[in-house]
Amino acid sequence: DGGITQSPKYLFRKEGQNVTLSCEQNLNHDAMYWYRQDPGQGLRLIYYSQIVNDFQKGDIAEGYSVSREKKESFPLTVTSAQKNPTAFYLCASSAAGNQETQYFGPGTRLLVL
Amino acid sequence: QKEVEQNSGPLSVPEGAIASLNCTYSDRVSQSFFWYRQYSGKSPELIMSIYSNGDKEDGRFTAQLNKASQYVSLLIRDSQPSDSATYLCAVNGYSGGGADGLTFGKGTHLIIQP
């Protein structure tokens, strides 16, 4: 059953804490992406990776970090430097190329305690 | 800074009528255009993609692209209550062939009235 999985579904962060969101895909896609969605807003790009061991900052990368050690995995760490982390985080993947469709995982909702 | 503009709505359409959703974009070199549907609390799912000027039809959905006017639209024929959702317009640019992230509009909230 091919697709994109994200875990956990809900995540609670305490002040000063780093948390990591998981994203795994078995679609054999080269490219993976992280987006953030705030209520009533569109999606904003945090980071993306076109190939293993390489990634680029998106529009709102400050306070976040990523790694791409495996083709299938693209974890996102929300660091304590991100002062307003409460949002819906969406991971996506696509084949290589600008015309390729991005497919989304089910999302992780991050809340601050 | 790339921008994608959509009317946030809500857009209310009677069941069985045509729903028309519009989107404009700022980056003239944009190459690829996508419409996603998002139900409340869920992740976006692709409805249509379009790359060339003109119309592209898929079932009840038609996407229209006019690059000269920097305008993309989505028509939904025979609207059903299950079409009630937020529709996101997304645009990809050109960076030498790489797979870059999308720039999204804020979405149009569509309500189909039974």
Side-chain angles (χ1 to χ4, degrees), chain B residues 51-109:
Chain B
Y51 311 107
S52 304
N53 280 328
D55 294 0
K56 179 181 178 183
E57 187 175 318
D58 184 2
R60 296 188 297 114
F61 300 95
T62 299
Q64 299 174 317
L65 174 60
N66 184 326
K67 289 188 178 181
S69 300
Q70 296 175 236
Y71 177 89
V72 194
S73 66
L74 179 70
L75 301 177
I76 307 174
R77 290 181 299 281
D78 187 24
S79 296
Q80 303 296 311
S82 59
D83 294 328
S84 297
T86 296
Y87 288 80
L88 300 168
C89 175
V91 175
N92 204 341
Y94 178 75
S95 67
D100 293 342
L102 296 171
T103 300
F104 282 82
K106 293 183 179 181
T108 297
H109 184 203

Side-chain angles (χ1 to χ4, degrees), chain A residues 18 24 32 36 38 45 54 56 59 77 81-82 106 108 113:
Chain A
N18 293 353
E24 304 274 335
M32 297 186 73
R36 167 182 172 143
D38 293 283
L45 182 65
D54 188 39
Q56 286 77 40
D59 299 321
T77 296
Q82 173 49 245
T108 292
L113 294 176

Side-chain angles (χ1 to χ4, degrees), chain B:
Chain B
Q1 180 82 8
K2 300 176 187 175
E3 291 184 350
V4 177
E5 299 288 340
Q6 295 181 255
N7 188 325
S8 62
L11 174 65
S12 187
V13 173
E15 183 176 357
I18 296 175
S20 178
L21 305 165
N22 304 316
C23 170
T24 59
Y25 60 95
S26 64
D27 190 352
R28 190 167 285 279
V29 300
S30 296
Q31 299 272 308
S32 309
F33 307 87
F34 304 88
W35 283 100
Y36 285 87
R37 178 176 65 197
Q38 186 177 29
Y39 293 113
S40 181
K42 302 296 185 182
S43 62
E45 55 179 327
L46 182 74
I47 297 295
M48 292 283 287
S49 59
I50 187 166
Y51 311 107
S52 304
N53 280 328
D55 294 0
K56 179 181 178 183
E57 187 175 318
D58 184 2
R60 296 188 297 114
F61 300 95
T62 299
Q64 299 174 317
L65 174 60
N66 184 326
K67 289 188 178 181
S69 300
Q70 296 175 236
Y71 177 89
V72 194
S73 66
L74 179 70
L75 301 177
I76 307 174
R77 290 181 299 281
D78 187 24
S79 296
Q80 303 296 311
S82 59
D83 294 328
S84 297
T86 296
Y87 288 80
L88 300 168
C89 175
V91 175
N92 204 341
Y94 178 75
S95 67
D100 293 342
L102 296 171
T103 300
F104 282 82
K106 293 183 179 181
T108 297
H109 184 203
L110 176 64
I111 299 172
I112 306 301
Q113 295 180 323

Side-chain angles (χ1 to χ4, degrees), chain A residues 6-61:
Chain A
Q6 291 186 243
S7 62
K9 187 174 181 179
Y10 295 95
L11 185 58
F12 298 91
R13 192 189 93 163
K14 296 178 181 178
E15 287 287 337
Q17 187 181 38
N18 293 353
V19 292
T20 298
L21 285 61
S22 170
C23 178
E24 304 274 335
Q25 55 97 2
N26 62 4
L27 301 169
N28 199 33
H29 284 165
D30 287 309
M32 297 186 73
Y33 314 82
W34 275 104
Y35 294 89
R36 167 182 172 143
Q37 187 175 33
D38 293 283
Q41 302 294 312
L43 282 66
R44 292 184 290 168
L45 182 65
I46 304 173
Y47 269 98
Y48 65 102
S49 168
Q50 296 179 359
I51 197 169
V52 174
N53 292 322
D54 188 39
F55 48 83
Q56 286 77 40
K57 293 181 179 180
D59 299 321
I60 55 166

